């Protein structure tokens, strides 16, 4: 068994119900459970090169900096690169989970060229904003 490689950045989301979040991230979005600590209501997940942690909110959570009213994570979105958006969009539609912004193409200037992304924006059960992106390639300006 090979040891898991940790990325340089992996956010931890304080969630209201870790079991509900695991169903959403795992069953719906396709994240893999790398490991968990059920006694702490903690899970470490990955999807391709993306990694994140889930921790159920509790009184001793050291990273809690204020009230966690819905939606959580105001002012930030998490971009997650995937090979294809279609399976995620289909899974969300199947469970009736609304998209925050419908699937769309978006092109962004990067110096002297443009890079394109097909994007899907969705909020998780606690209101964290996720932006899944599928590459559309590069175009010269």
């Amino acid at each position: 068994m090979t040891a898991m490689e940790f990325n340089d950045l992996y956010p931890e989301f304080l969630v209201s119900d870790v079991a509900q979040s695991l169903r959403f991230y795992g069953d719906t979005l396709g994240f893999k459970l790398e490991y968990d600590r059920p006694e702490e209501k903690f899970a470490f997940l990955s999807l391709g090169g993306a990694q994140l942690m889930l921790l159920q909110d509790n009184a001793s959570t050291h990273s809690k900096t204020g009230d966690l009213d819905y939606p959580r994570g105001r002012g930030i979105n998490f971009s997650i690169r995937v090979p294809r958006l279609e399976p995620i969009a289909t899974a969300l539609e199947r469970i009736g989970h609304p998209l925050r912004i419908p699937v769309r193409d978006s092109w962004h200037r990067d110096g002297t060229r443009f890079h394109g992304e097909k994007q899907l924006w969705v909020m998780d059960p606690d209101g964290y904003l996720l932006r899944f992106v599928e590459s559309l390639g590069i175009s010269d300006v």
Side-chain angles (χ1 to χ4, degrees):
M1 182 173 164
T2 10
M4 186 183 84
E5 295 275 335
F6 288 89
N7 292 342
D8 291 338
L9 175 68
Y10 43 95
E12 181 175 77
F13 296 176
L14 294 179
V15 299
S16 58
D17 181 338
V18 77
Q20 175 187 34
S21 292
L22 280 170
R23 285 190 301 276
F24 181 76
Y25 282 92
D27 298 344
T28 303
L29 300 178
F31 278 76
K32 175 185 174 191
L33 175 63
E34 295 290 349
Y35 65 90
D36 64 350
R37 293 189 296 271
E39 70 280 5
E40 295 178 31
K41 297 186 178 173
F42 170 89
F44 193 102
L45 308 174
S46 68
L47 179 67
Q51 297 175 327
L52 62 87
M53 300 177 290
L54 302 172
L55 176 63
Q56 188 164 313
D57 186 22
N58 62 61
S60 66
T61 302
H62 59 276
S63 57
K64 187 174 179 180
T65 57
D67 292 334
L68 294 176
D69 299 326
Y70 184 89
R72 296 182 180 191
R74 292 178 192 92
I76 189 167
N77 72 76
F78 298 90
S79 293
I80 303 165
R81 200 171 4 169
V82 295
R84 292 183 48 241
L85 283 182
E86 182 190 359
I88 295 170
T90 300
L92 291 166
E93 185 178 337
R94 185 176 58 249
I95 67 166
H97 194 90
L99 299 181
R100 175 79 173 143
I101 298 174
V103 175
R104 66 181 185 178
D105 292 354
S106 185
W107 289 85
H108 307 281
R109 189 171 58 76
D110 173 9
T112 59
R113 60 189 188 157
F114 283 88
H115 66 272
E117 300 172 337
K118 184 176 288 294
Q119 301 180 349
L120 178 156
W121 295 67
V122 63
M123 293 172 78
D124 83 351
D126 288 291
Y128 291 105
L129 186 56
L130 310 172
R131 174 175 43 172
F132 290 91
V133 297
E134 172 185 334
S135 177
L136 294 174
I138 305 236
S139 173
D140 291 325
V141 175

